[in-house]
Amino acid sequence: MVENERLRQEMRRCEAELQELRAKPAAPCTGCEHSQESAQLRDKLSQLQLEVAENKGMLSELNLEVQQKTDRLAEVELRLKDCLAEKAQEEERLSRRLRDSHETIASLRAQSPPVKYVIKTVEVESSKTTQALSESQAHNQHLQEQVAMQRQVLKEMEQQLQSAHQLTAQLRAQIAMYEAELERAHGQMLEEMQSLEEDKNRAIEEAFARAQVEMKAVHENLAGVRTNLLTLQPALRTLTNDYNGLKRQVRGFPLLLQEALKSVKAEIGQAIEEVNGNNQELLRKYRRELQLRKKCHNELVRLKGNIRVIARVRPVTKEDGEGPEATNAVTFDPDDDSIIHLLHRGKPVSFELDKVFSPRASQQDVFQEVQALITSCIDGFNVCIFAYGQTGAGKTYTMEGTPENPGINQRALQLLFSEVQEKASDWEYTITVSAAEIYNEALRDLLGQEPQEKLEIRLCPDGSGQLYVPGLTEFRVQSVDDINKVFEFGHTNRTTEFTNLNEHSSRSHALLIVTVRGVDCSTGLRTTGKLNLVDLAGSERVGKSGAEGSRLREAQHINKSLSALGDVIAALRSRQGHVPFRNSKLTYLLQDSLSGDSKTLMVVQVSPVEKNTSETLYSLKFAERVRSVELGPGSRRAELGSWSSQEHLEWEPACQTPQPAARAHSAPGSGTTSRPGSIRRKLQPSA
């Protein structure tokens, strides 16, 4: 502690000297060559001061640590003294008890018999004394161990104190070194300041001498300038007159400039208007040519009988989640509504279809694209519209919609009713509706008395080679209310379940079959048109959908039937002699729509999010393949005169004979289709 106090006094003295050095005024020398070195010395001095401050902090920490260890040592010594005192007291008590025991033994020996009882008593007292002695010895041993432990602690404290003394000596040596460094820096700084002062005086003398020489030259130049001024006064008057003339001209310059700017602006505006007009004309011509090209293409497709393909991109929903997987990967061409671009694994892929609808497109926009096909059903053509795409892509929404915003199915029947009403003065029309689903490769009647009953697809017995479904229920509809009741009844019987990809996933292929029969009152011309509206179940990957058990079996049947549809499209596209329609109930039922006697349109539904790009790419590639299939122009079913006997039997309520293949279902008036219920009473099959 005395040494530490001495070091503190030395540090205070060094700090006082340092403050004195700082207080001395230093004459600044601007532009001196030694200023940089002086600044470096000052920086070095400040660093040394920081190191001294750090050493002070370390020294104070060491002092505090030494004080703590000293206090601990004093406490250990006090505890050791207390333990020694307790040991001495315990030894004295044990020796006193031992003396008492000896005296008791001696007195007992001196007494007369009975010896037996005395010996017994002595033995009892001797065992107690022995036990007490052993306890005292154990306690003494414990105290000795504590004393040894305290001595060990004291030894460690002494070692730590010795290391603290060594560290103090090291710090003292560092302080001495820092003091020597400060002294040396102080001497160097004084020497440099003296040299700087000498340089400053010498520079001042040289500058004064140069200034005298320059002043002499300036005086000489001034005399020459005065002489020149006397000779330049006439020229100055001439320049003044010229300046005044220019000034008058400059006053009128803004007006001239404004007139020039106005004329230039007018010319530029006229040129811009001409360019805009030319651009608008070119854009109008381009759009007109684009529409003409599209019209010609559609006419060519119609003549060839190609399957028309339109695509609809659903919007991003909250079910898609957040993060990189939920980003939009689909873009559109602003100038061509038949082009769609997909970013798949960082590479853009483009597809050209007949029409592409963005997520902003409404149900009415989509229906306007297909309503021309639907109205051709009234003229006696067979029409098929089916929705294709992965599960959760919006196929059911496009085909069925919601009660507030219906889809193609309900809008198609409403359009048929409006067309029938417009032609009511010349034609008599009858519209009938059937609904079926293909669930696990089983064809079921959604409007029948037993929806779970399996139906079969048969060849029409009239030899036409067309197909029909015996026992399929057929309702005659006459108003929008009838449509809503049929749709509600059929929707309740359709199979939907929850999967990881879609909360209400359709687990079957749904078919809405609309048959329109018309009679021209004036000529007797009869037409029969059939509209097949198909909502295909979505293709899905079992790993993503999490299908298990019955859901897994449903997914396997769905994927198998869609694969069969792909095989049929591939066979039609390559014009193979054999087309495998019978590989699946779906393709077998769609044989009439895909074999050249129908106008067919496919709506491919795609998801725009990044995590579904693989399924979207597959759907768009399949759409391109379907678009290249040529079925040939559709034929109109019309005839003059009365109905054939076979068709007449279709309208007899009690008839059990199957209907023609063009209708593809059983007679609505047969006994197998009647069942009780409100919808049955309101929508009885017509006779």
Side-chain angles (χ1 to χ4, degrees), residues 1 61-71 161 164:
M1 293 174 64
E61 292 177 358
L62 290 173
N63 290 333
L64 181 60
E65 186 177 358
V66 169
Q67 184 65 32
Q68 292 177 355
K69 292 181 179 179
T70 304
D71 295 341
L161 183 61

Side-chain angles (χ1 to χ4, degrees), residues 115-130:
V115 178
K116 181 178 180 180
Y117 301 104
V118 172
I119 291 171
K120 186 176 182 180
T121 305
V122 169
E123 287 177 357
V124 171
E125 291 180 355
S126 177
S127 62
K128 292 182 179 179
T129 304
T130 304

Side-chain angles (χ1 to χ4, degrees), residues 6 23 47 67 77 108 172 207 235 275 299 325 346 355 386 390 415 431 437 489 510 517 528 531 533 538 541:
R6 188 182 67 80
Q47 292 178 0
Q67 184 65 32
E77 289 177 353
L108 291 173
R172 189 181 298 111
V275 171
E299 184 66 20
E325 291 188 350
K355 182 77 172 181
F386 64 95
Q390 73 173 110
L415 177 63
I431 301 176
E437 73 170 354
F489 185 70
R517 298 179 178 86
T528 301
L531 174 62
L533 301 173
R541 293 186 179 180

Side-chain angles (χ1 to χ4, degrees), residues 9 22 55 83 223 281 342 397 553 560 562 614 619 656:
Q9 292 178 0
R22 289 178 178 174
N55 292 330
C83 292
E281 181 66 20
L342 174 65
Y397 177 77
R553 187 169 61 256
K560 180 181 178 182
L562 293 177
S614 297
S619 298
Q656 300 296 328

Side-chain angles (χ1 to χ4, degrees), residues 535-571:
D535 178 14
L536 298 178
S539 60
E540 62 184 57
R541 293 186 179 180
V542 177
K544 283 188 177 182
S545 63
E548 297 178 352
S550 60
R551 303 290 84 75
L552 178 60
R553 187 169 61 256
E554 292 167 356
Q556 290 172 348
H557 282 292
I558 291 171
N559 292 336
K560 180 181 178 182
S561 61
L562 293 177
S563 178
L565 178 61
D567 295 339
V568 168
I569 294 298

Side-chain angles (χ1 to χ4, degrees), residues 85-110:
E86 290 178 0
K87 181 180 178 184
Q89 291 177 3
E90 187 68 21
E91 289 178 351
E92 185 178 356
R93 184 176 64 81
L94 293 175
S95 62
R96 188 166 53 251
R97 288 183 64 183
L98 186 61
R99 285 196 305 270
D100 293 342
S101 300
H102 286 305
E103 290 175 0
T104 303
I105 292 170
S107 63
L108 291 173
R109 287 178 179 175

